[in-house]
């Protein structure tokens, strides 16, 4: 027995991540005790089905309970770890814990993005620590650098690949020439995509993470509702081939940018040049590219998901929270002093790559170019490939307000000479 | 005027980094005050020549002093920032400051690697904060993740490109086919290499950083004297071409690895496969690849040098130290509980790429292979290219103790049929 009082942990949820948290607490117990200066003790695990077979999980069966709220309220619990997910009842549990002065570790990106303010307010009320490294980009130490290391600098942009499922699909489309459905099927077979992949492929997961990153980077509360979101189900094998011809690839990006008085936060597929550090992030890996005024470009790379990598991030937070409790100190509290306005997508400055099927007639390019000029969108490059029955125009614009670009595409679709708009993709990571 | 007491800073050194620290403190004053909750106030700058012209530096000339020790001892100084470098008198100043309970921020890698223990001991004695994010990989938030985020995990290896000068030279050799001297000349002209490049090209700078990284990663005091060091001046255009033929490039790496009971720390040029994330780190950029038991591979990428990027890291530490002073808390103290043994280089397991000029005779390969077998070094691949007057053998080994490999090379050099050993390079980043 250690002479030092132990730090007592309550775990809410024991699925893929929770199981690995339990295992790591067990495997690394001696190291954790040495690093913290006191032992960690798991005093309860809230689950829906306590009787479920849990193989060789190294804990006593008596720790399991279905009464999560009761566990959270126990006087002898110091740190509450939530790996259940979803808005309710997680929010109720965590607000309760924080108000009561307990430290909270959560991987719940949906809750943080939807109503992180409720958690931060409860933490301020209770004088409690709120850590959530595992909520974005799994194992990658990313939030602590943003929350602490870069606080002497000004972040101007964060561009990230924060969803492993869609990165696996797009990497596979890029390397094999497969279409979206085929690549999704492969991802599902290999366990990279869930049975219902909507949250991933429609960008909801990435949008939640974008809100969390933007809040930290810009000292401003940003919620999922502030994030413009476009999924990647419309990316075709033809788009990928077209990207390759331009020396680019296509990634589902979360992009948060700031100007003097406002920020814009969006998630959508985009072409990026192969020379960009994010372009070579393959497989189900995550990476986040951070631009600052003084430090210049930074990139953080690693596994964004998986039970054990995510549990590593949770454990790092547990060590920090436990140390704080022992020394009677607190993590830096929420920094939202900047309170910048979130700009609508229409005001974001972007570039478009537009591919049109057009009639093979003289004057087509002049007419099309006229539409761009009318909307004050400047064209960077045009490629025409013409066969009598299948003429194509591929146009890349200079940077322009997204609303002007959208209006241009809308006007083009109404021209008789435009048979169809084969694809519209934003282009990122290059000078305008 | 703020009603809150300001945090008072003393700056030791006002060269490239110090100047940028002063500028950032000025430019970002409002943001820093908001993030910290109190204003920062620069109360003194110790320099050798206070009368020197400092252009438009936004500080009062009265702040400059030559009496660094006197400045450190002032009762009204809260935080001491050292950007002078070198062992003495920096060590005396910082030990004095830490013992007196002042927070210390330093970018001094040489001092930390040579006698970091003296600083950590003084910090423990004074109950003071010691931060040194800027000492390794400049702007990249790397030490805080190692020191805090990964404390719930076990780091097994750290492999880094931590010297921008040599990475610029090697990247240039790889892309242009230039030799070392030509690439060094270009680096000097562009300001990437100093007039005396010894510390960079001979690996002293990288070795100091390797000691700091290994200490943090393995919870063990490692000094520069523990680090095996081999410079990169011997890397030839031929080596680079040979690397390319093998699908590799050559980088100057710092490598820290742990086994159950010991660590090995070394700096040397090595071939790595082009598919390794470190291979595409070009120009003067730095990147550090961290492998852990639970999180899997992680990479941190950014600018490793330059006044402004380095100053960004210093400012991040200033914010952390200032917050701690306001809330009466401390940074995590030194973690050296593991006290692992540092293995000599001879016991490191590595792979060698050996290029031999040999006599064109029957039986040469059999003789050479016999020497490897005698030293229990297993050969992975052999390529022979023969002209009557210039026969070549290129051999890549499997993983073996470095001492056995060195003895093999020694024995080969004594064979009559070996005209010369054209090059010996370690191979990293691939399975053995």
């Amino acid at each position: 027995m250690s002479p030092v009082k132990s730090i007592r942990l309550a775990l809410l949820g024991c699925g893929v991540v929770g199981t690995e948290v339990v295992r790591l607490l067990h495997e690394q117990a001696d190291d954790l005790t040495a690093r913290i200066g006191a032992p960690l003790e798991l005093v309860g695990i809230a689950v829906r089905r306590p009787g479920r077979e849990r193989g060789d999980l190294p804990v006593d069966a008596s720790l399991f309970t279905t009464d999560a709220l009761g566990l959270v309220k126990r006087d002898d619990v110091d740190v509450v770890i939530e790996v259940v997910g979803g808005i309710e009842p997680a929010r109720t549990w965590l607000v309760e814990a924080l108000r009561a002065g307990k430290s909270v570790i959560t991987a719940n990106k949906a809750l943080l993005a939807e109503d992180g303010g409720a958690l931060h307010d409860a933490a301020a009320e209770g004088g409690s620590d709120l850590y959530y490294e595992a909520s974005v980009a799994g194992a990658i130490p990313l939030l602590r650098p943003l929350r602490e290391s870069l606080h002497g600098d000004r972040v101007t942009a964060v561009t990230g690949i924060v969803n492993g499922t869609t990165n696996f699909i797009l990497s596979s489309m890029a390397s094999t020439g497969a279409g979206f459905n085929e690549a999704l099927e492969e991802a599902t077979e290999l366990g990279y995509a869930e049975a219902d992949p909507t949250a991933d492929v429609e960008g909801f997961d990435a949008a939640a993470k974008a809100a969390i990153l933007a809040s930290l980077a810009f000292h401003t509360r940003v919620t999922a509702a502030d994030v413009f979101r476009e999924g990647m189900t419309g990316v075709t094998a033809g788009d990928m081939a077209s990207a390759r011809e331009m020396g680019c690839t296509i990634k589902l990006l979360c992009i948060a940018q700031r100007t003097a008085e406002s920020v814009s936060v969006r998630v959508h597929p985009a072409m990026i040049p192969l020379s960009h550090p994010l372009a070579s992030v393959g497989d189900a890996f995550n990476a986040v590219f951070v631009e600052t005024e003084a430090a210049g470009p930074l990139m953080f790379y690693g596994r964004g998901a998986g039970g054990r990598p995510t549990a590593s991030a949770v454990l790092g937070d547990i060590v920090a929270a436990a140390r704080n409790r022992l020394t009677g100190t607190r993590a830096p509290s929420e920094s939202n002093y900047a309170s910048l306005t979130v700009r609508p997508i229409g005001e974001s400055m972007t570039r478009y790559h537009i591919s049109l099927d057009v009639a093979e007639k003289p004057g087509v390019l002049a007419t099309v170019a006229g539409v761009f000029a009318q909307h004050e969108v400047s064209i960077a490059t045009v490629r025409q490939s013409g066969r009598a029955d299948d003429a194509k125009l591929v146009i890349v614009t200079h940077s322009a307000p997204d609303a002007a670009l959208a209006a241009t595409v809308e006007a083009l679709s109404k021209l008789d000479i435009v048979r169809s708009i084969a694809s519209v993709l934003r282009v990122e990571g290059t000078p305008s």
Side-chain angles (χ1 to χ4, degrees), chain A residues 62-141:
Chain A
S62 68
L63 292 189
F64 290 99
T65 171
T66 53
D67 180 13
L69 193 59
L71 179 58
V72 162
K73 285 182 168 175
R74 266 171 61 170
D75 282 342
D76 66 339
V77 165
D78 299 306
V79 179
V80 172
I81 302 144
E82 184 262 320
V83 289
V84 172
I87 308 302
E88 283 296 348
R91 176 169 50 197
T92 301
W93 299 337
L94 299 189
V95 165
E96 175 75 30
L98 290 163
R99 283 200 184 132
K102 299 181 199 305
S103 309
V104 163
I105 320 289
T106 176
N108 193 331
K109 55 191 169 270
L111 172 55
L112 285 158
E114 165 123 353
D115 197 10
L119 300 187
H120 286 296
D121 291 345
E125 212 178 300
S128 314
D129 274 353
L130 173 62
Y131 283 109
Y132 46 102
E133 184 67 77
S135 66
V136 181
I140 309 174

Side-chain angles (χ1 to χ4, degrees), chain A residues 239 242 246 271 350-358 368 371-372 377-384 392-398 400 402 404-413 418 420-427:
Chain A
D239 290 337
S242 183
M246 287 176 61
M271 289 192 183
T350 57
R351 305 171 67 205
Y352 271 24
H353 171 278
I354 302 164
S355 176
L356 304 172
D357 293 319
V358 294
V368 166
V371 172
F372 281 85
V377 173
S378 166
I379 291 175
T381 62
V382 177
R383 273 181 307 145
Q384 296 202 60
K392 242 191 179 123
L393 266 185
V394 176
I395 296 163
V396 180
T397 73
H398 284 298
D402 200 89
L405 288 159
T408 306
V409 172
E410 171 74 14
L412 289 172
S413 73
V418 172
S420 74
I421 296 180
S423 84
V424 177
L425 273 167
R426 292 180 182 82
V427 182

Side-chain angles (χ1 to χ4, degrees), chain A residues 29-295:
Chain A
D30 292 346
D31 278 323
L32 292 168
T33 302
R35 291 172 196 175
I36 293 165
L40 297 172
E41 188 185 349
L42 188 56
V43 300
I45 306 176
V47 292
R48 264 184 294 188
R49 289 174 294 159
R52 187 178 147 197
E53 179 57 51
R54 288 170 207 279
D56 57 346
L57 204 63
V59 285
D60 196 285
S62 68
L63 292 189
F64 290 99
T65 171
T66 53
D67 180 13
L69 193 59
L71 179 58
V72 162
K73 285 182 168 175
R74 266 171 61 170
D75 282 342
D76 66 339
V77 165
D78 299 306
V79 179
V80 172
I81 302 144
E82 184 262 320
V83 289
V84 172
I87 308 302
E88 283 296 348
R91 176 169 50 197
T92 301
W93 299 337
L94 299 189
V95 165
E96 175 75 30
L98 290 163
R99 283 200 184 132
K102 299 181 199 305
S103 309
V104 163
I105 320 289
T106 176
N108 193 331
K109 55 191 169 270
L111 172 55
L112 285 158
E114 165 123 353
D115 197 10
L119 300 187
H120 286 296
D121 291 345
E125 212 178 300
S128 314
D129 274 353
L130 173 62
Y131 283 109
Y132 46 102
E133 184 67 77
S135 66
V136 181
I140 309 174
L142 173 64
L143 303 195
R144 181 169 279 107
L146 277 175
R147 202 174 170 181
E148 304 182 35
S149 308
L150 293 172
H151 268 194
D153 202 339
R154 181 174 294 181
V155 177
T156 53
V158 177
T159 309
I161 295 171
V162 293
N163 181 274
T165 305
T166 49
N167 201 53
F168 181 89
I169 293 171
L170 288 167
S171 300
S172 151
M173 288 172 70
S175 63
T176 66
F180 169 75
N181 287 322
E182 195 185 332
L184 172 61
E185 209 167 293
E186 186 198 1
T188 310
E189 271 166 31
L190 293 171
Y192 285 118
E194 295 183 43
D196 176 0
T198 309
D200 295 317
V201 300
E202 294 298 350
F204 290 100
D205 175 81
K209 293 164 178 171
I212 296 169
L213 289 175
S215 299
L216 287 173
F218 304 137
H219 306 270
T220 292
R221 281 191 180 178
V222 177
T223 70
D226 295 322
V227 181
F228 171 80
R229 181 193 50 74
E230 189 181 298
M232 47 71 73
T233 56
V235 177
T236 64
D239 290 337
M240 197 58 91
S242 183
R244 198 174 309 121
E245 271 172 43
M246 287 176 61
C248 289
T249 191
I250 299 173
K251 296 289 187 187
L252 181 69
L253 298 180
C254 85
I255 300 171
Q257 292 167 325
R258 77 165 279 174
T259 57
E261 299 300 332
S262 67
V263 300
S264 88
V265 192
R266 49 207 168 89
V267 167
H268 53 69
M271 289 192 183
I272 52 169
L274 290 172
S275 59
H276 193 286
L278 289 175
S280 55
V281 175
D283 205 44
F285 276 90
N286 281 198
V288 177
F289 193 74
V290 179
E291 291 161 89
T292 79
E293 279 188 4

